[in-house]
Amino acid sequence: MAAAQIMVVEDERITAKDIQNALESAGYGVADLVFSGEDAVRKAGELQPDLVLMDIKLEGEMDGIEAATQIRERYDIPVIYLTAYSNAGIVQRAKMTEPAGYLLKEQFGFLTKPFEESELNTTIEIALYNHKIEKRLRNREQWLAAILKSVSDAVIATDSKGRIKYMNPVAEDLTGWIQEEAIGEDLDKILKILSKESTNIEQGNTSTDFFDKTVIIAKDGTKLLVSGSTTPIKDEKGNADGLAVVFRKYRLN
């Protein structure tokens, strides 16, 4: 497996070189040493490193926090902050960028000891692992969303409190609500049911409620006859975590 490539953004040249030596001795590759926020954003796009070590305080108009924000938004590259500062305002601002981690510098007279190499290695490995898992989950969500958008039935998913979390385009068309408006709203508000004929059927450990000849009222007041089913969404422990509603226009034989 190729060594992870890490870009170091540090405006103190001696410290940057120390960090490079520590990274290389730990088996990582150093994509580049960069000394300003503006160059960091540009180089991240050119080099596409696996991770960025970013000093918060940098020379120039763009500090490390702003550079990290742009790098994450443009290139989805995880960033670990390097800082010798514990100012509450700076820390809070840094937290808003959702960094992959922090490494605190320790000052010793005129010499700077950036961090222990074992701490460096652990922080980087955790950051790389978490980013890989997050990316895998995002890809899975996008894949699932693409499937749900392509099906011919309306699909609505809620959380455990019955609030809308997802609607596919068919559900938007039948209810008259777009997903952006519906997210966080109660299911009863979005899927207004005037009357319902339903049957409850057990399928293994899941109880599915099938409904037929159900009248719903769309956002504009239009009444539609639909049929479909509701199925509990359960977490890995089997606890109810939401509800999936699948329905379609009722078709007469």
Side-chain angles (χ1 to χ4, degrees):
M1 182 182 294
Q5 295 296 306
I6 299 174
M7 187 173 78
V8 178
V9 187
E10 166 63 67
D11 59 5
E12 295 180 9
R13 268 61 171 178
I14 296 176
T15 301
K17 198 64 180 177
D18 287 342
I19 295 171
Q20 179 181 11
N21 292 337
L23 289 170
E24 290 176 344
S25 67
Y28 299 108
V30 175
D32 203 355
L33 299 180
V34 183
F35 308 108
S36 72
E38 292 83 357
D39 284 344
V41 176
R42 180 174 57 82
K43 285 285 189 178
E46 293 175 1
L47 301 174
Q48 292 291 314
D50 297 300
L51 183 139
V52 175
L53 290 180
M54 176 78 71
D55 191 4
I56 287 181
K57 191 175 183 298
L58 295 171
E59 295 178 354
E61 296 182 1
M62 183 183 294
D63 67 5
I65 296 175
E66 175 59 28
T69 300
Q70 293 196 28
I71 288 171
R72 279 182 54 85
E73 290 178 352
R74 295 185 188 184
Y75 312 118
D76 189 29
I77 298 172
V79 175
I80 294 175
Y81 283 125
L82 308 174
T83 181
Y85 300 91
S86 57
N87 178 280
I90 292 176
V91 171
Q92 184 60 35
R93 184 167 158 247
K95 285 170 61 178
M96 296 296 290
T97 66
E98 300 181 354
Y102 296 88
L103 286 168
L104 298 177
K105 299 177 183 179
E106 296 177 5
Q107 303 295 328
F108 295 93
F110 295 105
L111 298 177
T112 301
K113 179 185 179 184
F115 30 70
E116 296 293 336
E117 288 188 19
S118 59
E119 180 186 357
L120 169 69
N121 190 61
T122 300
T123 303
I124 288 174
E125 287 303 307
I126 291 174
L128 291 172
Y129 176 78
N130 286 342
H131 184 68
K132 181 174 71 174
I133 296 300
E134 289 169 4
K135 191 170 184 178
R136 185 181 300 167
L137 289 174
R138 284 197 302 272
N139 290 339
R140 183 178 178 184
E141 289 174 357
Q142 292 170 358
W143 176 76
L144 179 59
I147 291 176
L148 293 175
K149 285 181 179 179
S150 69
V151 300
S152 58
D153 288 346
V155 179
I156 297 177
T158 76
D159 62 16
S160 60
K161 295 183 179 179
R163 295 174 300 203
I164 303 293
K165 291 181 66 178
Y166 173 81
M167 293 177 67
N168 74 347
V170 182
E172 292 179 327
D173 182 55
L174 293 183
T175 64
W177 289 84
I178 63 172
Q179 180 172 259
E180 288 73 15
E181 295 175 326
I183 293 295
E185 298 287 353
D186 290 337
L187 176 62
D188 292 343
K189 178 179 178 179
I190 306 304
L191 189 64
K192 291 184 178 180
I193 296 177
L194 187 62
S195 64
K196 181 173 74 170
E197 297 178 12
S198 63
T199 303
N200 187 272
I201 298 178
E202 294 290 335
Q203 295 183 327
N205 295 324
T206 302
S207 177
T208 301
D209 185 22
F210 291 89
F211 55 88
D212 197 18
K213 297 182 182 179
T214 295
V215 179
I216 65 170
I217 303 176
K219 187 180 181 182
D220 64 1
T222 301
K223 294 179 181 179
L224 296 173
L225 192 62
V226 301
S227 62
S229 63
T230 60
T231 304
I233 299 171
K234 296 186 178 182
D235 62 20
E236 64 276 5
K237 295 182 180 179
N239 300 317
D241 195 35
L243 188 70
V245 185
V246 181
F247 59 101
R248 65 204 66 85
K249 286 185 179 180
Y250 185 80
R251 292 180 175 83
L252 297 174
N253 294 327

